[in-house]
Amino acid sequence: MRRRTVLAGALAATSVTAAGTARAAGPGPSVTHRGTTRLDPQALYFVSYDGLVNNNSFQKNGLLTHQGHQYAAWYTASRNAVVARRPLGAGTWSTVTLPHRLKADDSHNVISLGVSRTDGRLHLNMDSHSDGFFYVKSVAGLLDDPGGTAWTPSVFGPVRTTLDGLALTSQFTYPQFVATPEGRLQLSYRAGVSGDGRCALAEYDGARWTALGEWTGATGTYTSAHGSSTARNMYLHGLDYDTRGRLHALFTWREQNTAVMCSRGGITNHDTGYVFSDDRGRTWRNDAGTVVGTTGGPDKVCVGDSGLVVDPLSPDHSLMNQESQFTDSAGRPHAIISYVPGRFGRCTTGYVADRTAHGRAFHLRKNASGGWQKTEIPVPLGSSQRTKLVLDRYDNAYAVLPFGRIAAASQASGYTDWTLLFDGGGLNAFGEVVVDETRIRADHVLSFLYQEKSTGTTPSALHVADFALPA
C-alpha cells in the first residue's frame, strides 16, 4: 500500500483551555500511512458472535506500547497463544509461543495484555467466557530494558487459572487491564453472565494481587414501553484514567428479559451511562458527583440509581455494547456509541442485519460547560460490529470503523466536521480492529491490529497497520 496523507478540518485561530483561556489551536486531524507489518500469515480464524477471537475491539489490550516497544498477542492456526514484540517502527516481530491452546471456538475468549510499571512485568489474561480464565506474567523487569532483555519462553512463568493463587469467580469474562497513575495494574472483569452479571476489579501492587470486589449490581427493575426486566449487567465502553488521575467509565445496560424489546430479534441494550472514581475505583460517582456505589461494599451502581444516564435510548435500536472511550487533555470523557437511528424505523427486528443496513456511529462527549453533546459520524457502518475511538495530542478525534476505515473530526470545530480519511482500501480487514491506545501518546502513531477476511475455519493473515498523526 502506498503512503498517503489525508487531512480533515482546518487550522483555527484560537481554542479554549479547561481554564477558559484562549490559546493557539493545533492542526486538524490527518493520517499518513507508514506501513503494515504481518504478525502471522495463518492466524486462527472462525466467526463467532459475528466476530473473531483475535480482533474483538473490547480486548484491552491486544496491542500495546511501553518503553519504545510494541507488544501484541493472538492465537495461531494451531490454537496456541502467542505474544510478540518489536521496537517501534521496526518491520519484523519477535514471537514467543506460550504453553496454552484456545479451548473453544468462542470469539469472547480473547487475550488481553497489561503492564505493571512498579515491577516491569507483562501480564496476560486469556481464554474465558463466563467460566475460568488463564493467566501468565513475565519475570520482573522484562519491560524496563527491552533492548537488553532476551525474548524467549523462559521469561514467562507458568500458565495459571488464578491470579498467583487469587481465585476471582467461576464465571469470568471480559478481562481489561488498566494501569493506575502510580504504576499499579488493575484488572476489570465481569462476574456472572450476560444479562445477569456484575463488574469487578482486582489490583496488583508489584508484589501480590488483591480482589477489590464488585462495584455494579444486577438487581432492580427496568421498565420500557413493552415490558419489564429485573436482572441485567453493565457493559463498559472502557475504563480509563485521565491525566489528573480520575477514572472514567461510560457504559450501557443489557437486560435479561427480552420483554423490554419491541422484537425478540433485537438486542436488550439501552441507554448510555457514565460514572467516575477519584479514589482508584473504590468509590463511584454519577455525573453530578453524587456517590452511587462502592467497590466491595453493599451499595453497588445499579440501574435504578439517579443521574447515571447521559444519553437515553430505548432497547429498540440495537445499541451496541462495549464500544470505546477515550479522555482528552482536559480530562473530559469521549465515547463512540452505535445504533440504528429512529429515521430508519423505531423497531429493529434483527440486530445484525439492521445494524449492517442502517447502523451509525455517534461521537458522545462531555464539553467544557459540563454538558453532553452527541454528533453522528456520517459514514454508514455497513457492519454489526464496533468502532474504536482515540484522540491525538491536539484533541482531534479519530474513529476507526469496521474494516479499518478511519474517520476524524477536529477539536477546533467542536467535532462537527467528521470526515472519512482512510477507506480501508487494500486491507481486506474482516471487521473490528484492535487499537493500540497507548501508542498514541508515545509517538503520535495510530496503530491497529486487523485480520484478513477468510471463510469457514481457513486461517488468514494477521497484520498491524500504522498511521502517523499530527506530531
Side-chain angles (χ1 to χ4, degrees), residues 161-190:
T161 55
T162 63
L163 297 178
D164 297 336
L166 176 66
L168 295 175
T169 173
S170 60
Q171 293 180 317
F172 179 101
T173 316
Y174 303 123
Q176 295 190 21
F177 286 111
V178 186
T180 69
E182 62 275 359
R184 295 187 177 195
L185 184 64
Q186 294 180 323
L187 176 62
S188 168
Y189 60 96
R190 185 189 72 193

Side-chain angles (χ1 to χ4, degrees), residues 121-297:
R121 294 183 194 265
L122 182 66
H123 303 249
L124 294 88
N125 192 295
M126 50 196 171
D127 204 356
S128 61
H129 184 197
S130 301
D131 55 8
F133 61 84
F134 297 87
Y135 167 75
V136 65
K137 69 180 181 184
S138 75
V139 296
L142 175 68
L143 305 186
D144 294 334
D145 181 23
T149 307
W151 185 251
T152 63
S154 63
V155 302
F156 290 93
V159 177
R160 304 177 185 272
T161 55
T162 63
L163 297 178
D164 297 336
L166 176 66
L168 295 175
T169 173
S170 60
Q171 293 180 317
F172 179 101
T173 316
Y174 303 123
Q176 295 190 21
F177 286 111
V178 186
T180 69
E182 62 275 359
R184 295 187 177 195
L185 184 64
Q186 294 180 323
L187 176 62
S188 168
Y189 60 96
R190 185 189 72 193
V193 299
S194 175
D196 190 12
R198 293 88 56 203
C199 293
L201 286 171
E203 186 174 85
Y204 178 76
D205 64 4
R208 64 185 58 83
W209 282 97
T210 302
L212 302 183
E214 298 174 0
W215 61 273
T216 72
T219 59
T221 299
Y222 168 78
T223 301
S224 73
H226 314 289
S228 297
S229 176
T230 57
R232 70 205 45 82
N233 69 274
M234 176 190 288
Y235 275 121
L236 296 171
H237 291 310
L239 201 61
D240 298 282
Y241 285 96
D242 65 26
T243 56
R244 294 159 176 79
R246 174 168 288 182
L247 183 60
H248 302 267
L250 283 126
F251 62 87
T252 184
W253 296 107
R254 174 175 292 180
E255 297 299 322
Q256 184 183 67
N257 192 348
T258 59
V260 301
M261 295 188 295
C262 58
S263 168
R264 292 179 64 87
I267 192 168
T268 60
N269 298 339
H270 63 89
D271 297 322
T272 299
Y274 170 71
V275 290
F276 69 88
S277 173
D278 285 331
D279 58 2
R280 304 298 188 261
R282 272 66 171 178
T283 304
W284 296 93
R285 299 175 182 270
N286 65 15
D287 194 31
T290 303
V291 174
V292 288
T294 303
T295 301

Side-chain angles (χ1 to χ4, degrees), residues 290-428:
T290 303
V291 174
V292 288
T294 303
T295 301
D299 182 25
K300 305 292 195 300
V301 180
C302 293
V303 72
D305 290 335
S306 63
L308 298 183
V309 176
V310 297
D311 189 67
L313 189 71
S314 79
D316 296 336
H317 296 273
S318 294
L319 175 68
M320 181 49 66
N321 48 281
Q322 296 159 288
E323 200 99 27
S324 63
Q325 67 174 47
F326 212 81
T327 58
D328 64 25
S329 61
R332 293 186 289 261
H334 296 237
I336 295 290
I337 61 174
S338 65
Y339 57 89
V340 177
R343 66 179 182 271
F344 296 110
R346 298 189 176 275
C347 179
T348 56
T349 58
Y351 82 90
V352 172
D354 288 337
R355 283 179 55 84
T356 301
H358 302 300
R360 297 294 188 272
F362 296 81
H363 175 213
L364 178 67
R365 67 185 180 95
K366 191 169 187 177
N367 60 31
S369 300
W372 291 84
Q373 292 180 238
K374 184 172 68 173
T375 304
E376 181 176 338
I377 300 173
V379 181
L381 288 180
S383 169
S384 67
Q385 296 190 292
R386 300 170 180 86
T387 295
K388 294 296 290 184
L389 174 70
V390 295
L391 274 65
D392 67 19
R393 65 179 301 188
Y394 304 105
D395 285 337
N396 300 309
Y398 301 79
V400 188
L401 296 143
F403 316 119
R405 296 166 295 167
I406 305 172
S410 66
Q411 185 272 344
S413 74
Y415 306 101
T416 59
D417 57 353
W418 282 96
T419 304
L420 187 67
L421 301 188
F422 177 71
D423 65 5
L427 299 184
N428 192 32

